[in-house]
Structures are given as C-alpha cells and as structure tokens.
C-alpha cells in the first residue's frame, strides 16, 4: 500500500515586510540580510491571528484540491474542504508556536474548525523538521490502522510572535505561514516501476545540541511566576554558528542516506525541497554533495524561515505551478530546534 499526496495548500499573511522595511526599524541592511541568508522579505500575521488560523487556511486549500474544487469563490472552497474534511482519519500538526501552551493541541483546534469529526488530532514538536516528522508519523499511522485512509499533515508557524526584536542576529530570519498536504492510503506499489507516494524517510535528533536553538521560558522547566514582570516575551534564542555547522552536516548526511537506502542517485531525483532556513546552508551542502544548485527549490527570498511550514509551503507552490510531475522523485530535507534533522523521499 502506498501513502500518496492528494492535495497541497498554503497560507501566507498578506502583510509583506521587506528587508528595507526592517532596516528602517532595526540596525540592519538589505545587503547584510541578503548576502548572509538569501532572504529578501517575510510575511507577518496580524495580532488577531493564531497558529491554528493559518493552519486552517492552508488545510482548506489542500482539502479543496482533493475535492476537485475548480477554484474561484471562497465559499465554494470552504464547502468542498468541509466535505473532504469529513473523510479525514487523522490530523498531524507541526509547530513551534502552538495556540496554547501544551493543551489543547493546535491540531484539535483545527479539527474542530474543519468539522473533521472522525479525525484523531495531535501536534508534533520537532522544530523546523516538524513537517518531515509529521509526514512519516502520519504515513505510519495510516499504514498501521486497517480502517485509516486519509490524513492531513500541516506545518504552521507564527515566528514573528516568538522573535526577540532586540536580537538582530535572529529577528531578520523568520516569517509566518502555513502549509498542508492531504495523504491518502492507496493500492499503488511502493517498490519497482510505477511506485508511488512516500517511499522513504530519515528522522534523527541530537538532543545534546538543544541549547543552541531554544525557547527558554514558559514551560515547566522555567515557568512564569505569579506577579513576574517579563523583560521579553518567550522568544527563540539561537547560536547561529553552531546551528549552521550542525545544519550543513545534517543536511548532507540526510541526503546521502536517503539516496543510499533507496538505491537512487542524484540523477534520479527531480527536485530537492529543503527547509528554507538559509540559502547559504543549502549552497554549502549542495557543494559538498556535488549537487547542482538548480536541483534545489528555494523560495526563502520571499518568505524567510517559516520553520515547519517552509517545506509544505514550497511543495504547494511547486504543485500549483505544475512543476511536480506524476512519477517525479522528490526529496525533502530539514534540520532545526531539538536539535532535529530528517528528510523524505516522495514519488509524486
Ligand atoms: N544585520 C547586520 N549585521 C548583523 C546582523 C543583521 N541582521 N546580524 C548579525 N550581524 C553582524 C554581527 O553583529 C557580526 O558583526 P561583528 O563581526 O562586527 O561582530 C557580523 O554580522 C557577523 O555575525 P555572525 O553571527 O557571525 O554572522 P554569520 O555569518 O554567522 O550569519 C546567521 C548569521 C545568518 C544567523 C548564520 O549563523 C546562520 O544562518 N545560522 C543558521 C541559522 C539557522 O539555520 N537556523 C535554522 C533553524 S531556526 C528554527 O529552527 C526556528
């Protein structure tokens, strides 16, 4: 049995903030940000938007695609999405910035919003690798359950809410957004000619490196105390150089292992969809692997680092642009907080 992607969707806030816009508020420049990261802009959600709102929007886009929605008015889309949602058995949502601190999961908020009454729902915390983990987790649960057939996997982030605006080394890196895919268990083969769907995944972690990328406050380790005045809201702290070094190695090793375990070579891969953290990381890993730059899809220039949302946003852009053909072998690769790393091989 194969686990195939039947629909993709994304949601990106309308508010686009260019490097120039940031440079008017903090001590940075378009030149520094572009040359160090490849980022040109990012999109920020407004104050009334939570993680589940972006997730719902991306989910509806993906679900409507599976319902054969031809495009057009929003009402029609939501009706098609609502019908498709009734057939979901599982919702897995990856995020670093859930609606609530621990309970309920954001996936449950989305389940209610979609009216997906039959679906189990849970969140995954694996930093920027969350979508890669989510895809493998959802696929495994579909295969393990006789009656489970369809799952929704979402990456949704509001990193603008988790940013320390006094730290120019991190605040220029992040953006908000969500991406989603609908998975379906089908009778297609997973081996040999004509194979389809998710054909391999690698998931890994190095918890010893957790301190290099963390949100220190707010959990049970460092809870807020009654009456406490916060200097800063909870925010991402990052040792950029350490994460950079980890990322290049994890990226390179994951690509090599995915191809080796599948018996594929780089010529078999149509496209690599990496987590969009820093174009320099992708270039450095590509150089080590001897993979030409055009094999990698990059949209970091427009959205910056949207953590667990970056890969599903990229998949949706590629899918809607007709750049993913049936039978194409697509590789995802990610690294992030935890520290975590991983990748998927998908026959589109
Ligand atoms: N604008 C202008 N100057 C800046 C900025 C800025 N926004 N940020 C830092 N600088 C300055 C520093 O102050 C420093 O100046 P100095 O030499 O006078 O002291 C200089 O630029 C170099 O700073 P570095 O931190 O050494 O810059 P580096 O080349 O390492 O790039 C970066 C920093 C882009 C963050 C890089 O380390 C990186 O990409 N790391 C990986 C980050 C990542 O991938 N994170 C992914 C996970 S995120 C997640 O999971 C949510």
């Amino acid at each position: 049995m194969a686990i195939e992607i039947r629909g993709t969707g994304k949601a990106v806030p309308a508010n686009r903030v260019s490097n120039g816009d940031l440079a008017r508020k903090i001590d940075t420049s378009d030149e520094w940000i572009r040359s160090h990261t490849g980022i040109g802009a990012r999109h920020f959600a407004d104050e009334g938007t939570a993680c589940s709102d972006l997730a719902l929007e991306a989910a509806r886009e993906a679900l409507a695609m599976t319902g054969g929605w031809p495009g057009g008015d929003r009402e029609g889309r939501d009706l098609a999405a609502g019908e498709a949602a009734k057939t979901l058995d599982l919702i897995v949502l990856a995020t670093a910035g859930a609606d609530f601190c621990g309970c309920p999961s954001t996936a449950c908020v989305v389940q209610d919003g979609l009216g997906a009454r039959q679906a189990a729902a849970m969140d995954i915390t694996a930093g920027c690798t969350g979508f890669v983990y989510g895809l493998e987790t959802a696929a495994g649960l579909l295969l393990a359950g006789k009656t489970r057939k369809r799952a929704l996997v979402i990456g949704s982030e509001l990193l603008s809410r988790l940013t320390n605006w006094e730290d120019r080394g991190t605040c220029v890196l992040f953006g908000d957004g969500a991406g989603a895919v609908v998975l379906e268990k089908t009778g297609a083969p997973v081996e040999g000619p004509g194979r389809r769907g998710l054909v391999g995944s690698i998931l890994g972690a190095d918890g010893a490196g957790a301190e290099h990328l963390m949100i220190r406050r707010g959990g049970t380790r460092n809870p807020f105390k009654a009456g406490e005045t916060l200097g800063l809201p909870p925010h991402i702290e990052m040792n950029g150089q350490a994460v950079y070094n980890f990322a290049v190695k994890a990226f390179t090793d994951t690509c090599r292992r995915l191809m080796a375990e599948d018996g594929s070579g780089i010529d078999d891969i149509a496209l690599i969809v990496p987590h969009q953290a820093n174009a320099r990381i992708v270039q450095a890993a590509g150089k080590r692997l001897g993979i030409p730059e055009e094999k990698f899809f990059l949209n970091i220039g427009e959205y910056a680092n949207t953590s667990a949302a970056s890969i599903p946003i990229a998949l949706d852009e590629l899918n809607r642009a007709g750049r993913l053909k049936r039978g194409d072998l697509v590789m995802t690769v990610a690294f992030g907080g935890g520290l975590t790393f991983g990748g998927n091989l998908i026959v589109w």
Side-chain angles (χ1 to χ4, degrees):
M1 296 231 226
I3 304 297
E4 299 190 59
I5 293 179
R6 290 296 200 212
T8 60
K10 74 167 190 306
V12 178
N15 178 23
R16 181 179 190 275
V17 178
S18 69
N19 292 342
D21 294 333
L22 279 189
R24 279 187 278 283
K25 292 185 183 150
I26 59 174
D27 182 16
T28 188
S29 67
D30 178 55
E31 194 282 320
W32 191 95
I33 301 172
R34 271 185 206 278
S35 60
H36 284 73
T37 68
I39 294 167
R42 69 286 294 143
H43 293 243
F44 288 153
D46 58 35
E47 264 186 31
T49 301
C51 177
S52 64
D53 297 318
L54 291 179
L56 262 170
E57 186 64 17
R60 288 190 175 117
E61 288 282 312
L63 285 163
M65 188 184 274
T66 69
W69 180 64
D73 67 304
R74 212 180 157 90
E75 208 178 315
R77 182 203 70 172
D78 291 353
L79 274 174
E83 282 308 305
K86 289 180 192 160
T87 68
L88 286 174
D89 301 296
L90 175 67
I91 298 172
V92 174
L93 187 147
T95 188
D99 278 23
F100 302 100
C101 194
C103 190
S105 71
T106 305
C108 280
V109 181
V110 170
Q111 189 248 20
D112 181 46
L114 289 173
R117 299 275 160 256
Q118 294 184 52
M122 66 178 190
D123 285 0
I124 283 192
T125 306
C128 303
T129 321
F131 181 78
V132 167
Y133 269 62
L135 211 55
E136 177 69 356
T137 302
L141 287 170
L142 288 183
L143 290 171
K146 263 192 194 154
T147 58
R148 283 184 215 122
K149 195 162 172 5
R150 300 182 102 210
L152 179 66
V153 183
I154 309 170
S156 184
E157 303 283 11
L158 259 95
L159 298 179
S160 62
R161 236 21 88 75
L162 300 171
T163 296
N164 174 4
W165 292 101
E166 290 168 21
D167 175 10
R168 67 176 181 166
T170 60
C171 72
V172 301
L173 303 177
F174 302 125
D176 300 340
V181 300
V182 177
L183 298 181
E184 193 171 299
K185 185 163 64 180
T186 73
V190 284
E191 284 175 13
R195 66 182 182 151
R196 292 270 173 261
L198 185 64
V199 293
S201 288
I202 282 170
L203 306 179
D206 177 9
E211 62 177 329
H212 297 312
L213 185 51
M214 71 190 310
I215 301 169
R216 208 170 290 275
R217 294 296 315 273
T220 53
R221 176 69 60 196
N222 294 303
F224 302 126
K225 298 179 186 71
E228 178 183 359
T229 305
L230 288 180
L232 286 168
H235 58 269
I236 297 168
E237 292 174 42
M238 185 176 75
N239 175 347
Q241 202 56 55
V243 175
Y244 187 98
N245 294 337
F246 167 80
V248 174
K249 183 167 183 334
F251 191 120
T252 313
D253 292 350
T254 300
C255 290
R256 281 205 183 108
R257 279 179 59 197
L258 270 172
M259 287 190 284
E261 286 181 13
D262 190 56
S264 303
I266 190 58
D267 292 341
D268 301 311
I269 312 263
L271 205 56
I272 302 174
V273 183
H275 166 48
Q276 313 278 321
N278 186 332
R280 277 171 52 202
I281 292 174
V282 176
Q283 283 151 5
K287 213 168 168 188
R288 283 191 190 189
L289 290 159
I291 299 178
E293 267 187 46
E294 52 275 17
K295 280 266 178 189
F296 297 98
F297 177 71
L298 283 176
N299 62 5
I300 188 172
E302 180 58 28
Y303 303 119
N305 179 351
T306 56
S307 189
S310 84
I311 289 176
I313 287 175
L315 287 176
D316 183 59
E317 281 203 346
L318 288 163
N319 193 23
R320 283 173 199 266
R323 286 188 58 190
L324 298 172
K325 308 269 180 307
R326 201 159 159 76
D328 275 356
L329 187 57
V330 179
M331 181 154 70
T332 70
V333 53
F335 49 85
L339 299 170
T340 57
F341 59 90
N344 316 110
L345 263 187
I346 304 157
V347 181
W348 202 256

